[in-house]
Amino acid sequence: MLTPAEHRAARLGGWFGIGLLAAAIGIPVAALLAGSTGAGFGVDPYLLRITRFTLLQAGLSTALSIALAIPLARALARHPALPGRSLLLRLFAIPLGLPPLVAALGLIVVWGRQGIVNAGLLRLGVDQPVSIYGLSGILMAHVFFNLPLATRLMLMGLERLPAEYWKNAAILGMTRANVFRLIEWPAIAQLAGGAAGLVFMLCVTSFTLVLVLGGGPAATTLEVAIYQALRFDFDPPRAVLLALVQIALTSAVLIALRVLKSPAEEAPQLGLSPARPDVAPGLPALADRVLILASALFVIAPLAATLVAGLRADLVRILTDALLWRAILTSLAVAAAAAATSTMLALLLVRARHSVAESQTAFAGRILSWLAGIAGSLVLLAPPVVMGAGWFLLLSGATRALALPLMIIVLINAMMALPFVIRVIEPAHRTAMSRNGRLCLSLGVTGINRLRRVDLPALARPLATAFAFAMALSLGDLGAVALFGGDRIVTLPWLLLQKMGSYRTADAAGIALILAVLCMGLMALSDRTGAGREAARP
Amino acid sequence: MRKPSLFFPLFTLIGTAGLVPLAAHADDRTLTVYTYESFIAEWGPGPKVKQAFEADCGCRLDWVGVADGVALLNRLKLEGDKAAAGVVLGLDTNLVTEAKATSLFAPHDIDTSAVSVPGGYADDVFVPYDYGHFAVVYDTQAIKTPPSSLKELVEGDPSQKIVIEDPRTSTPGLGLLLWVKAIYGDDSAAAWAMLRDRVLTVTPGWSEAYGLFTSGEAPMVLSYVTSPAYHMIAEDSDRYQAASFSEGQYLQIEVAGILKAAPEPDLARQFLAFMLTTGFQDTIATNNWMMPAAPTSEPLPEPFERLVKPTKDLLLPSDEVAAHRKAWVDEWQEAMSK
Amino acid sequence: MNASAIELRHVTHALGNAGVAFSFSRETGSVTAVLGPSGAGKSTLLNLIAGFLAPDQGQVFVNGRDVTALPPAGRGVSMVFQDNNLFAHLDIRTNIALGLDPALRLGRAENAVIEAAMERVGLAGFGRRKPGTLSGGERQRVALARAFARRKPLLLLDEPFDGLGPGLAAEMLSLMLEIRAEVGATVLMVTHEPAEARAAADRVLFVDRGRIAADAPLAGFFERSDIPALRHYLGSGAPD
């Protein structure tokens, strides 16, 4: 419940947010198109082939991630008191913050030709080793990145169900299968579509993983072609058109599958997961544990490989390097600024959608809501390399000044994090509104006071989660930084790739470890912030 | 976080404050040089070159780094005559034709008699500052008899894998493409089709490929003749060696040029001349891990003596590369995708 | 019948650094109001009986049978909570049907029972509607209908009519009592409304700090002055 003035403010804010996003994407694209007379665009067999492959690998990756996330989320929800569970959920946030190259090397330590799995198989007398190169490797890497994400999304959906459901299920004697069919699946199904859409978009735009693990140019995605068009071919119009093809195709697939709605990640209810009296000890419960253990191993093993490699590095020397601290400072600053921007943008969009949803509304309102909805998803598909190049073109005279490139990097990172942030904030915002809306009206707490005293405090926990998520994503990102480069903007992923690019593999491993620790720390911090608030509540 | 209303402003403030100390301030006479990032890394030649040149010219030298030579050219295309730089350092011979086509470069007008590179490169716009040969680098602990020719590499045991780079996205990848072209000519597609089974994977850049190689995933990688020197000097290890190919090694010559719109043309010319002196050339071998293109004050460190001496220097003319690169890359893609 | 409908024999359960210990029994067909300050352990008592919590020590008997090791579904218990008794995404019919067969294999006989149960609580014709379209009182009626259809010997109520308003709560209470009588169930009802206890119960269990502070007939209970915790609980303004 909002007052008329609050409605107006919410919608104005929404239009402002959409305008900002449109400008952030539109301006650089226009600059690229205006500034050159490119060779243009033809539909050639190459384009058809990579389009097919892009959709194939993204489709399979998504199907696998979701298919595995459902039983895993279910198993985790069924065992709220499992030792190490909250630690595992925190670890699940790390892959998002890792540069893909680091993750790829971690995966190779486990699954590569000389990896742990193949060494074990060899010892067991299996001489046909598991190959990580090719489509199977791409799928494995994508599952590594997206299974934790999809699992978290769906677990939150299950944990949002009231505790009485499980008590009733227990009293009524519902079997495991019936609980799944009648309670768990309906809750999961609501989220699976949105989660699948998110994972699909992430897989469509995957670049490094596809090339490193793909085995050869047969594994080429549209994103590679976009990069190629901007690099050796230097044909910006083609890059823009390829990007448009990518956006159009992906939206078409998502709309056809009706999965363009946002899945919601409620702030993790750490320690507040409802008890599950419907879960009886026995074989199925054991199977749950085995599944959780296997998934944990799958996700943790490559992380552990990264950790071990990092510990082997000369950490003392790395940590006493002034350049590293400069990189840490810059990375944290950029990430914090990007996360703040992203969270504020998300709040604007979420509030506008809430305002439209709450009242009978005219055509403009529906357009606003629809735009805010897709803005929260499709920005993932706008290739940072294209946006970066466009902005670069516009700012070319001004790149000597640091502030402008930094602002662009912050803006691009903020946009990449936006879909995640919205998914965290939107459901919590809805809950908070339905809980406090009438009360605020009746008490006359409105406008900025309401925002400060009621709405934002009520959202503290999801905001902290969203903030940490956005920071982690931004920490691991190289894309935007690489374009502006210069030895003046030194971020952690940039430094890492510099070390790797000059034979200093061990140093790079050490920096990867520092990145992982930072991500972990962010997640832990956001959990604690949230938990502190929870405890303070009467 | 007791006051959430302060949350965002605070973080934005911290964010901005963190960035302020990084801001640079300008000097009176300043030369800006565009180059690739690894050149100006802490451990690259950049810092030493800056020190030496600034001591000499009484001016300020500013580096601006981008990912690599290709990105360097793209940046120039994006900026056109608005580029703030006087000198561009780090294009290779494959990019020279395209670079000239932008008509952004001016003739250098300096004495290049000190230049000594294989094949005797001479150009009125670009001046070489270092060179290197591509090579297949192998792990002596995994391979006892490395391929002794490109032909042996192509036709050899497919279970002995090699990691290569993608010519669509990386310079060494393009180097191998041209290498195969130089040897096999019109039969390149067939050669690639045969080599394909030996290729473990094709990475977007050198870093990924070399990372896979040193982590033991593949016993061979496409890199440089000078790569083993790094391991010998920095790690005191002879484990990684370059294979000498009987047909010769493909050559990469890196060059620098002056921009027409250089704010201080004299300073730019002075830098190019300085580039061929020992103050610059001494830093190349053990910081850029390439071969100096002009005399150094002392002989190169001993491990450089033990590197492979190419039997022949292979280099396709820049014009030919520019004219056919797209078609050759398509051909590569076709052959490798089957 | 010489066995009690429900008996807790030296049941203890540790909760953090506090704990509960309960011992009592009830006759078949009795209605007991469970009263006590917030956090005293009233819900824990119901959870121990229903089987959501396992006792550290002691046993739970239903109709003379030791159910301590049985899962909730095997104990012969129906339960109505304050909220969320119905699965929001399933229609009213299905919500009641789950009480008969959790796998929803329904024959003619079961369907008749479901229709009768809906009619019994005055919601005939509501079968296809979703819980969200019902009022709070109507939703609790459905929960009672399910308990009615299940016909289990023990009915546990956890503040079921809280927040319905005095008029509606009284109405629901009498519906519950009618159903109880028809099913012949024994009722334990957690409430914080002395008025509800007065209207429905024949006995009172007063729980304080994890212990049963009083187990007494309803008649005259609220006038007793020998239980300090009760005086404190009722406050200075004792009920009229």
Side-chain angles (χ1 to χ4, degrees):
Chain A
M1 299 284 280
L2 301 171
T3 63
E6 284 170 347
H7 272 301
R8 275 195 302 279
R11 289 176 196 202
L12 206 64
W15 284 115
F16 174 75
I18 290 170
L20 191 67
L21 284 177
I25 298 176
I27 291 176
V29 166
L32 276 184
L33 288 179
S36 59
T37 50
F41 192 68
V43 177
D44 47 59
Y46 172 60
L47 185 59
L48 286 178
R49 202 179 63 215
I50 62 173
T51 303
R52 206 169 54 225
F53 182 79
T54 304
L55 295 179
L56 174 77
Q57 63 85 10
L60 286 176
S61 300
T62 307
L64 262 177
S65 302
I66 300 292
L68 288 170
I70 289 173
L72 179 57
R74 185 177 172 233
L76 283 165
R78 286 166 60 89
H79 301 279
L82 199 68
R85 184 178 179 274
S86 57
L87 178 69
L88 181 66
L89 289 178
R90 260 176 227 173
L91 284 170
F92 269 17
I94 296 185
L96 269 183
L98 282 185
L101 175 56
V102 172
L105 289 177
L107 280 164
I108 281 165
V109 171
V110 180
W111 296 98
R113 282 175 84 231
Q114 313 295 329
I116 297 164
V117 171
N118 276 322
L121 285 178
L122 212 63
R123 196 163 293 173
L124 291 175
V126 187
D127 59 344
Q128 197 72 28
V130 177
S131 173
I132 196 180
Y133 302 98
L135 186 58
S136 56
I138 295 175
L139 296 185
M140 189 181 284
H142 283 165
V143 170
F144 168 76
F145 269 96
N146 296 308
L147 174 67
L149 175 69
T151 303
R152 277 177 69 115
L153 286 173
M154 291 192 216
L155 179 61
M156 300 319 155
L158 285 174
E159 297 198 334
R160 257 204 308 282
L161 294 178
E164 286 90 348
Y165 277 23
W166 314 119
K167 290 184 169 179
N168 269 322
I171 283 209
L172 300 175
M174 294 171 77
T175 59
R176 184 182 161 89
N178 286 326
V179 168
F180 180 68
R181 182 165 66 99
L182 294 169
I183 310 178
E184 291 167 334
W185 173 245
I188 290 173
Q190 279 194 332
L191 297 173
L198 186 61
V199 172
F200 188 79
M201 284 188 282
L202 289 171
C203 292
V204 162
T205 53
S206 177
F207 177 85
T208 304
L209 285 176
V210 168
L211 279 182
V212 170
L213 299 175
T220 294
T221 54
L222 278 165
E223 194 86 3
V224 177
I226 293 170
Y227 186 72
Q228 185 189 357
L230 266 182
R231 264 180 71 81
F232 277 112
D233 300 344
F234 198 70
D235 185 352
R238 183 176 163 88
V240 169
L241 278 160
L242 283 169
L244 288 178
V245 167
Q246 174 162 306
I247 294 176
L249 264 177
T250 313
S251 331
V253 170
L254 296 183
I255 289 168
L257 293 174
R258 297 176 176 282
V259 293
L260 207 55
K261 59 183 169 193
S262 332
E265 170 155 14
E266 190 90 67
Q269 304 274 320
L270 233 65
L272 296 174
S273 314
R276 290 294 298 265
D278 61 307
V279 178
L283 214 55
L286 191 67
D288 287 341
R289 281 157 200 262
V290 171
L291 178 66
I292 294 171
L293 188 69
S295 317
L297 275 178
F298 178 73
V299 175
I300 292 174
L303 294 179
T306 309
L307 186 84
V308 169
L311 288 176
R312 233 182 262 148
D314 186 353
L315 282 173
V316 175
R317 184 174 49 75
I318 296 176
L319 282 171
T320 48
D321 182 357
L323 194 62
L324 175 90
W325 288 100
R326 192 173 137 193
I328 290 180
L329 185 69
T330 309
S331 275
L332 284 177
V334 165
T341 311
S342 192
T343 318
M344 279 190 277
L345 261 175
L347 266 177
L348 287 180
L349 296 179
V350 163
R351 217 165 162 83
R353 266 159 72 89
H354 175 78
S355 157
V356 172
E358 202 178 65
S359 55
Q360 300 301 325
T361 181
F363 185 62
R366 287 208 302 278
I367 294 279
L368 168 64
S369 177
W370 180 74
L371 280 176
I374 59 166
S377 291
L378 292 182
V379 286
L380 261 189
L381 295 171
V385 62
V386 171
M387 290 191 289
W391 278 114
F392 184 83
L393 184 58
L394 276 173
L395 299 178
S396 44
T399 41
R400 285 175 64 82
L402 263 174
L404 272 174
L406 277 171
M407 274 168 61
I408 301 302
I409 292 172
V410 165
L411 186 65
I412 292 177
N413 283 351
M415 284 173 55
M416 286 187 341
L418 192 60
F420 297 88
V421 172
I422 286 185
R423 279 158 176 78
V424 176
I425 292 179
E426 185 145 45
H429 183 264
R430 206 181 300 128
T431 314
M433 282 294 147
S434 68
R435 205 173 281 158
N436 303 331
R438 283 166 206 278
L439 187 63
C440 286
L441 278 190
S442 67
L443 294 176
V445 181
T446 59
I448 195 75
N449 276 328
R450 169 174 179 177
L451 211 57
R452 275 185 53 201
R453 302 275 176 229
V454 182
D455 293 346
L456 286 181
L459 288 175
R461 184 170 184 160
L463 284 178
T465 306
F467 196 87
F469 244 76
M471 269 192 84
L473 268 172
S474 173
L475 273 183
D477 174 65
L478 175 78
V481 178
L483 266 160
F484 296 104
D487 61 333
R488 293 183 294 173
I489 305 177
V490 179
T491 64
L492 277 177
W494 182 88
L495 190 61
L496 188 155
L497 288 191
Q498 282 301 302
K499 298 269 187 187
M500 278 209 72
S502 53
Y503 299 101
R504 288 163 175 79
T505 323
D507 287 11
I511 296 174
L513 173 66
I514 293 169
L515 256 177
V517 168
L518 281 177
C519 286
M520 220 19 213
L522 279 173
M523 291 300 147
L525 210 63
S526 87
D527 286 345
R528 277 182 54 167
T529 313
R533 283 239 139 233
E534 210 65 40
R537 199 172 283 169
Chain B
M1 216 182 68
R2 258 167 295 148
K3 280 203 163 67
S5 52
L6 286 178
F7 189 57
F8 296 114
L10 196 68
F11 264 94
T12 316
L13 204 69
I14 293 172
T16 319
L19 306 173
V20 168
L22 312 183
H25 32 103
D27 212 319
D28 277 358
R29 254 162 70 88
T30 302
L31 174 68
T32 302
V33 178
Y34 283 1
T35 185
Y36 48 83
E37 279 162 350
S38 63
F39 192 87
I40 52 175
E42 216 178 22
W43 51 85
K48 294 190 179 72
V49 168
K50 178 180 162 77
Q51 203 183 3
F53 184 65
E54 284 179 348
D56 210 38
C57 73
C59 68
R60 182 187 165 88
L61 172 61
D62 265 0
W63 297 115
V64 173
V66 297
D68 59 12
V70 181
L72 206 50
L73 184 55
N74 287 342
R75 173 150 180 170
L76 287 176
K77 288 179 182 171
L78 276 173
E79 290 187 331
D81 51 13
K82 280 185 282 179
V87 168
V88 174
L89 180 144
L91 301 172
D92 71 14
T93 41
N94 292 326
L95 298 170
V96 158
T97 300
E98 261 188 88
K100 283 183 180 167
T102 63
S103 27
L104 293 171
F105 287 89
H108 55 72
D109 294 334
I110 63 160
D111 174 15
T112 58
S113 56
V115 171
S116 149
V117 295
Y121 185 86
D123 190 88
D124 59 350
V125 174
F126 291 106
V127 181
Y129 63 90
D130 69 12
Y131 69 91
H133 290 91
F134 291 112
V136 168
V137 173
Y138 67 99
D139 181 353
T140 54
Q141 293 182 6
I143 287 189
K144 293 298 158 224
T145 47
S148 64
S149 64
L150 188 62
K151 191 166 181 299
E152 266 190 45
L153 176 75
V154 168
E155 294 170 6
D157 176 7
S159 71
Q160 296 273 11
K161 297 290 184 190
I162 182 169
V163 182
I164 64 169
E165 296 85 349
D166 196 323
R168 293 171 298 177
T169 51
S170 89
T171 309
L174 185 60
L176 181 61
L177 182 87
L178 300 176
W179 196 349
V180 170
K181 205 68 194 174
I183 304 297
Y184 283 89
D186 292 342
D187 299 327
S188 297
W192 279 112
M194 206 178 289
L195 179 59
R196 196 182 66 225
D197 290 338
R198 283 197 98 162
V199 173
L200 179 67
T201 193
V202 182
T203 66
W206 179 88
S207 302
E208 293 88 351
Y210 213 77
L212 285 179
F213 170 68
T214 49
S215 68
E217 256 314 85
M220 294 184 284
V221 66
L222 177 72
S223 188
Y224 295 89
V225 163
T226 45
S227 296
Y230 176 83
H231 300 285
M232 292 180 206
I233 293 171
E235 296 169 357
D236 202 18
S237 158
D238 287 345
R239 178 170 171 184
Y240 303 115
Q241 293 298 332
S244 174
F245 281 4
S246 58
E247 302 98 332
Q249 319 284 134
Y250 198 83
L251 179 64
Q252 183 186 29
I253 301 175
E254 298 193 292
V255 301
I258 299 172
L259 287 173
K260 271 184 192 157
E264 304 253 11
D266 295 343
L267 216 49
R269 205 158 289 121
Q270 197 184 339
F271 181 79
L272 246 58
F274 167 77
M275 209 170 70
L276 299 178
T277 64
T278 53
F280 184 104
Q281 292 293 325
D282 284 352
T283 67
I284 290 300
T286 54
N287 292 287
N288 213 29
W289 302 99
M290 295 285 274
M291 302 299 285
T296 52
S297 55
E298 283 173 38
L300 297 184
E302 181 273 335
F304 279 84
E305 298 298 312
R306 289 190 278 141
L307 297 179
V308 162
K309 310 275 180 301
T311 53
K312 192 179 167 201
D313 309 302
L314 302 169
L315 185 64
L316 293 174
S318 177
D319 293 349
E320 201 181 330
V321 175
H324 297 110
R325 183 181 54 79
K326 236 173 162 163
W328 290 345
V329 168
D330 285 346
E331 176 189 80
W332 172 85
Q333 219 159 242
E334 235 359 83
M336 288 291 288
S337 292
K338 286 202 179 101
Chain C
M1 195 184 287
N2 43 16
S4 303
I6 172 75
E7 181 181 357
L8 266 63
R9 211 176 276 170
H10 308 297
V11 168
T12 64
H13 182 79
L15 281 173
N17 34 13
V20 298
F22 299 121
S23 264
F24 74 98
S25 66
R26 277 298 175 273
E27 300 300 307
T28 302
S30 61
V31 176
T32 303
V34 182
L35 292 167
S38 151
K42 303 187 296 289
S43 291
T44 308
L45 174 62
L46 292 201
N47 285 337
L48 282 164
I49 297 173
F52 301 143
L53 291 176
D56 298 336
Q57 281 169 356
Q59 289 119 354
V60 180
F61 295 86
V62 174
N63 284 345
R65 188 167 60 118
D66 184 351
V67 299
T68 316
L70 293 182
R75 297 187 169 203
V77 171
S78 283
M79 193 157 178
V80 178
F81 306 97
Q82 183 182 343
D83 268 321
N84 302 313
N85 286 295
L86 309 183
F87 297 111
H89 56 286
L90 302 176
D91 64 19
I92 302 308
R93 230 192 110 70
T94 312
N95 265 295
I96 297 175
L98 279 172
L100 294 176
D101 182 356
L104 294 176
R105 287 165 307 222
L106 304 174
R108 194 181 289 265
E110 284 83 1
N111 282 325
V113 171
I114 295 166
E115 293 304 325
M118 284 195 288
E119 198 161 340
R120 182 67 195 81
V121 299
L123 291 175
F126 277 60
R128 292 267 161 253
R129 290 176 54 175
K130 291 280 171 66
T133 69
L134 271 54
S135 72
E138 285 167 339
R139 285 200 288 271
Q140 294 307 73
R141 280 170 191 271
V142 179
L144 285 178
R146 183 163 67 202
F148 177 68
R150 276 164 60 76
R151 301 193 165 261
K152 296 293 176 189
L154 206 55
L155 178 57
L156 305 177
L157 306 168
D158 197 351
E159 305 194 1
F161 312 130
D162 210 48
L164 291 185
L168 194 50
E171 201 181 300
M172 296 295 295
L173 208 54
S174 60
L175 179 64
M176 184 275 286
L177 288 175
E178 288 166 35
I179 285 173
R180 181 210 66 81
E182 285 163 44
V183 176
T186 306
V187 174
L188 285 178
M189 175 175 71
V190 170
T191 176
H192 59 251
E193 289 288 338
E196 280 186 9
R198 269 177 212 281
D202 38 50
R203 281 190 81 89
V204 173
L205 269 184
F206 187 76
V207 179
D208 184 43
R209 277 174 274 176
R211 301 291 185 277
I212 294 173
D215 178 358
L218 176 85
F221 178 75
F222 290 112
E223 284 71 48
R224 285 171 63 167
S225 55
D226 55 331
I227 313 163
L230 177 65
R231 300 318 316 164
H232 189 254
Y233 168 66
L234 292 172
S236 51
D240 47 358

